[in-house]
Amino acid sequence: MKERLQQIREEAMKQIQESDGLNKLNEVRVNVLGKKGELTTIMKSMKDLSAEERPKFGQMVNETRQAIETLIEETKTKLEAAELELALEKEVIDVTLPSKKQKVGHVHPNQLAQKEVEDIFIGMGYEVEEGPEIEYDYYNFEALNIPPNHPAKDEQDTFYITPDIVLRTQTSSVQIHAMEKGKLPLRMIAPGRVFRSDEVDATHSPSFHQIEGLVVDKGITFADLKGTLEVFAKKMFGEDTKVKFRPHHFPFTEPSAEMDMSCFKCGGKGCRFCKGSGWIEILGCGMVHPDVLKRCNIDTNEYSGFAFGVGLERIALLKYEIDDMRLLYENDDRFLDQF
Ligand code: DAH
């Protein structure tokens, strides 16, 4: 039995030393020290020994057990350290590797143009207003002198939500909201999205943006309108820009006009940009119709005003020399990266 014990001891020590991982080591431990392990089995057979031999042998078994346990513990510590080392090596971060480049966004040309227009008018003492995109017929049409059967309602191919509620077709609706607040004098611009049931092409889209302008004060004349819009055109497109006003018709202004500016590309000689005419149509404007003022409880004996409306996309296309409006909506990185 002594020999068997010695054999178990040697065999166990060898296997422990050869263990190449914690799992293997545990296997050895169970095989030798476990409930059904070799050492346990040999302990059980001690009952066959004489009373004299039993304690001695017991002591030997205990020593063996202790020696094996000690070696297992030592080996376990070593293996754990090695495993940790390996894990750390695997997880090492190379701080000298080049980082992944973060893509920086760009300001959309529409926003660029809007900001420029806003800055110009803020510089002249205007405030920036907002109005709802979903609008009552009253604000989008009726209060602006466009009654139910007015042909302008057809021209503006409206998206209806209910017979009385529309997606606004023009930012002119904000004029009414501003005047209804009852604070005069009024100097405001209102940039915003408008909607018309147009097919998409190089110059049309069912949703685009306008910037509305409105001034109401005592003694406002057409000369104020001309002077203001001339300053705007020069600041936006260069000091050499000339403007001219053509008579036009809008239901909510009287008189009404369209403003053209000399082509910033050819200086008025005629080119591809201005289709050879030397002039570019830029905005609609006029003196606020007295009926519109009266509807907003403004005393027309004392007050008068002018208004204008300009297409934001039109400004952006001209300013940044983009020849297809669809580019402004597709948000292709390769296009936007240029701004
Ligand atoms: N609302 C007009 C449109 O959508 C543009 C416009 C013209 C606005 C003349 C005005 C104005 O304020 O006075 O075509």
Side-chain angles (χ1 to χ4, degrees):
M1 266 176 83
K2 262 194 210 165
E3 268 157 38
R4 173 77 190 119
L5 186 61
Q6 188 60 26
Q7 211 183 344
I8 289 171
R9 182 179 177 139
E10 272 165 28
E11 190 59 25
M13 294 303 214
K14 190 167 161 248
Q15 279 180 14
I16 291 166
Q17 269 154 353
E18 282 170 2
S19 295
D20 54 1
L22 290 169
N23 284 343
K24 181 84 196 135
L25 185 66
N26 197 42
E27 228 172 77
V28 181
R29 188 183 61 76
V30 173
N31 285 343
V32 183
L33 306 177
K35 265 191 198 152
K36 289 179 187 156
E38 286 160 347
L39 213 58
T40 319
T41 315
I42 210 169
M43 282 277 265
K44 279 180 191 154
S45 56
M46 263 169 50
K47 60 180 181 329
D48 302 334
L49 293 175
S50 66
E52 236 168 82
E53 280 172 314
R54 225 177 279 156
K56 261 208 213 151
F57 188 73
Q59 204 184 347
M60 278 168 69
V61 172
N62 278 339
E63 267 171 28
T64 305
R65 172 180 285 276
Q66 219 145 49
I68 291 172
E69 272 174 356
T70 308
L71 190 64
I72 285 178
E73 268 320 300
E74 281 170 13
T75 312
K76 195 174 163 203
T77 312
K78 267 191 231 154
L79 287 173
E80 273 171 353
E83 269 180 24
L84 182 67
E85 188 79 3
L86 204 72
L88 287 177
E89 223 164 83
K90 256 200 241 161
E91 285 165 20
V92 90
I93 295 167
D94 183 353
V95 293
T96 66
L97 279 177
S99 62
K100 274 195 197 135
K101 226 182 176 172
Q102 290 286 335
K103 211 169 151 32
V104 179
H106 289 256
V107 183
H108 190 279
N110 265 356
Q111 285 174 303
L112 267 181
Q114 179 175 331
K115 175 96 173 51
E116 272 197 59
V117 176
E118 283 180 7
D119 283 350
I120 292 169
F121 281 100
I122 287 168
M124 293 195 277
Y126 285 60
E127 284 183 40
V128 180
E129 297 274 344
E130 260 183 47
E133 290 174 2
I134 298 171
E135 190 57 282
Y136 285 108
D137 179 287
Y138 178 77
Y139 289 92
N140 195 76
F141 294 122
E142 195 181 334
L144 291 160
N145 273 351
I146 312 174
N149 296 320
H150 197 285
K153 268 186 138 167
D154 296 335
E155 280 160 30
Q156 300 204 343
D157 324 70
T158 312
F159 287 114
Y160 281 88
I161 291 177
T162 71
D164 194 33
I165 297 174
V166 301
L167 295 186
R168 69 176 174 194
T169 60
Q170 49 183 353
T171 46
S172 301
S173 53
V174 189
Q175 289 188 29
I176 307 301
H177 289 289
M179 288 191 282
E180 275 186 352
K181 285 186 192 158
K183 262 214 223 140
L184 295 177
L186 200 71
R187 246 178 236 96
M188 67 113 198
I189 55 165
R193 191 186 280 275
V194 299
F195 305 86
R196 292 185 198 178
S197 60
D198 275 329
E199 295 290 335
V200 176
D201 66 25
T203 54
H204 292 86
S205 158
S207 158
F208 56 102
H209 300 77
Q210 292 185 328
I211 301 182
E212 195 75 15
L214 174 69
V215 171
V216 181
D217 201 351
K218 289 175 185 166
I220 296 291
T221 69
F222 203 90
D224 296 309
L225 176 155
K226 283 179 75 177
T228 304
L229 294 179
E230 185 174 357
V231 167
F232 163 65
K234 283 179 187 295
K235 291 219 164 159
M236 196 74 198
F237 291 100
E239 283 303 315
D240 297 333
T241 308
K242 291 186 197 66
V243 294
K244 72 174 183 192
F245 293 82
R246 278 180 291 105
H248 201 78
H249 173 263
F250 297 105
F252 37 90
T253 44
E254 182 59 36
S256 305
E258 274 189 335
M259 184 176 90
D260 297 341
M261 63 173 191
S262 55
C263 178
F264 59 93
K265 197 76 180 156
C266 64
K269 285 194 226 70
C271 69
R272 185 179 70 87
F273 250 93
C274 52
K275 298 191 185 92
S277 74
W279 294 95
I280 295 173
E281 184 188 314
I282 186 87
L283 55 77
C285 57
M287 300 305 290
V288 182
H289 197 295
D291 288 352
V292 174
L293 294 174
K294 279 180 205 155
R295 222 170 267 124
C296 299
N297 291 322
I298 292 172
D299 182 354
T300 51
N301 290 320
E302 246 193 300
Y303 286 95
S304 55
F306 71 78
F308 57 90
V310 45
L312 180 61
E313 280 79 357
R314 180 146 181 77
I315 300 268
L317 295 183
L318 289 170
K319 178 98 190 174
Y320 309 118
E321 304 188 14
I322 303 162
D323 52 18
D324 191 325
M325 190 154 91
R326 284 168 287 200
L327 288 166
L328 293 176
Y329 302 118
E330 284 163 357
N331 288 333
D332 186 327
D333 274 349
R334 291 165 300 177
F335 169 73
L336 293 177
D337 279 354
Q338 298 170 69
F339 296 91

